[in-house]
Amino acid sequence: MTLQNQEEPGSRPDHAPIAGVIGWPIAHSRSPLLHGHWLKRYELPGAYIALPVHPEDLGAVLGILPRMGFVGVNLTIPHKEAALKLADIVTDRAALIGAANTLIFRQDGKIHADNTDGYGFIANLMQYAPDWRADQGPAAVIGAGGAARAVVASLLESGVPELRISNRTRLRADQIKSEFGAKVVVYDWAQAGNMLEGSRTVVNATSMGMAGKSPLKLPLEALSAGTLATDLVYTPLMTDFLKQAERRGCEIVDGLGMLLHQAAPGFERWFGIRPEVDDALREAVL
Ligand code: NAP
């Protein structure tokens, strides 16, 4: 006897979409707060939850979530690189960056991977420093981790004429140069302060300066007034780097807006509305 009205395994019955963020650990994530704010604001059915997933379990979890009504997930440390390898379809920018932060579980069962960190980085600058232009002069990026790769990709795409980079582990910066090309100039970590000379955009893309981590120890004498300084660290919101840059007459943009903007494309794909990044959202997340 065949059962009528019974769905095939893996098919989706009619229900509200569920999304979430996968990390290990995950308790610190602000993503549930910000997606929760948007769901409430646009009065949408659905949920967004934090999912603690051990690295060993990532493949199994990604296999089962679509069968539980999940339409996609965000990824945070330590899953961004591994998720890229598990995806069926990878956007060019995610492939270039070598990491994914947004997965979409498609109706056909395929996992689509994207990286929206670079988009979030540029959108934050456009919102809070609307006169900033990438082509005004060289950009200096401190750090060469996963987030730095997204920043490098987005700055080059936006038209910086020269991309200076320095990292404690020089090999990672050299790797970025070999992948991203001739506009990238690597500075030795001991001389990192020198790359600020003449730079029109300066980015802290390390975790230094974050609450509980070591401070960013970089001589900032070469930082000139009018330069755009931005920090990816957003806890605290006003890092020592930003404070010092402001004292030197730089225009400053904190890192929270990047977090908010990188979330918007995923929310739109999962819940059907392009959400707004505004002061009410900032307040909710803070
Ligand atoms: P990651 O891949 O672990 O890279 C960490 C970076 O920080 C590397 O360049 C590392 O240098 C450097 N670093 C760490 N401790 C250091 C120290 N004591 N001295 C010198 N360098 C040090 O991490 P990530 O994913 O790129 O994230 C970097 C930061 O960006 C984190 O604070 C993260 O929270 C933040 N972030 C913010 C957003 C946002 O939306 N605002 C998005 C993504 C990331 P080595 O290579 O030498 O280890």
Side-chain angles (χ1 to χ4, degrees):
M1 193 181 83
T2 51
L3 290 174
Q4 297 296 311
N5 300 327
Q6 180 152 326
E7 302 273 359
E8 290 295 318
S11 68
R12 291 201 195 124
D14 195 18
H15 59 72
I18 313 167
V21 56
I22 296 182
W24 185 265
I26 195 61
H28 65 281
S29 175
R30 299 197 188 190
S31 294
L33 259 178
L34 78 96
H35 286 275
H37 172 87
W38 281 331
L39 285 169
K40 211 166 140 194
R41 173 178 170 173
Y42 297 108
E43 297 179 351
L44 294 171
Y48 184 102
I49 52 178
L51 300 161
V53 175
H54 189 274
E56 276 179 19
D57 297 328
L58 183 66
V61 167
L62 292 182
I64 207 72
L65 285 180
R67 291 165 170 254
M68 295 167 66
F70 277 76
V71 288
V73 286
N74 285 125
L75 302 147
T76 186
I77 292 169
H79 299 308
K80 287 182 171 187
E81 288 83 12
L84 195 71
K85 296 193 185 93
L86 293 166
D88 303 295
I89 300 156
V90 174
T91 62
D92 287 349
R93 58 186 178 176
L96 189 66
I97 293 162
N101 72 343
T102 306
L103 298 182
I104 291 142
F105 302 148
R106 296 178 8 155
Q107 289 285 356
D108 63 5
K110 291 197 170 12
I111 297 180
H112 178 274
D114 194 7
N115 191 314
T116 62
D117 277 339
Y119 160 78
F121 173 74
I122 296 292
N124 186 32
L125 298 189
M126 305 296 252
Q127 183 170 12
Y128 291 102
D131 294 331
W132 172 82
R133 296 285 174 274
D135 60 7
Q136 281 163 340
V141 176
I142 308 155
R149 293 177 67 90
V151 167
V152 166
S154 66
L155 282 171
L156 288 170
E157 199 186 316
S158 302
V160 289
E162 182 182 316
L163 192 297
R164 301 167 177 180
I165 189 162
S166 187
N167 193 50
R168 175 179 61 179
T169 309
R170 178 164 174 139
L171 195 65
R172 292 178 97 181
D174 288 338
Q175 185 68 33
I176 286 182
K177 179 170 175 56
S178 72
E179 288 173 42
F180 288 83
K183 283 186 182 168
V184 179
V185 182
V186 178
Y187 283 65
D188 206 62
W189 188 238
Q191 267 97 49
N194 293 349
M195 72 174 175
L196 308 184
E197 177 101 47
S199 290
R200 302 309 298 152
T201 309
V202 178
V203 187
N204 175 33
T206 71
S207 50
M208 288 188 294
M210 201 170 155
K213 302 250 171 159
S214 53
L216 176 64
K217 290 187 219 91
L218 193 73
L220 299 179
E221 287 78 26
L223 205 54
S224 49
T227 297
L228 187 281
T230 185
D231 204 323
L232 265 48
V233 171
Y234 54 84
T235 48
L237 206 51
M238 193 65 173
T239 59
D240 276 345
F241 167 63
L242 291 181
K243 282 184 195 161
Q244 287 190 54
E246 192 171 43
R247 279 201 289 273
R248 293 183 171 278
C250 295
E251 184 174 15
I252 59 164
V253 176
D254 68 55
L256 183 62
M258 173 175 170
L259 177 79
L260 307 182
H261 280 286
Q262 63 77 30
F267 186 91
E268 183 179 19
R269 291 292 294 268
W270 303 323
F271 300 110
I273 283 183
R274 183 68 169 203
E276 217 179 305
V277 173
D278 56 14
D279 288 345
L281 179 68
R282 267 180 85 88
E283 286 304 312
V285 173
L286 282 170

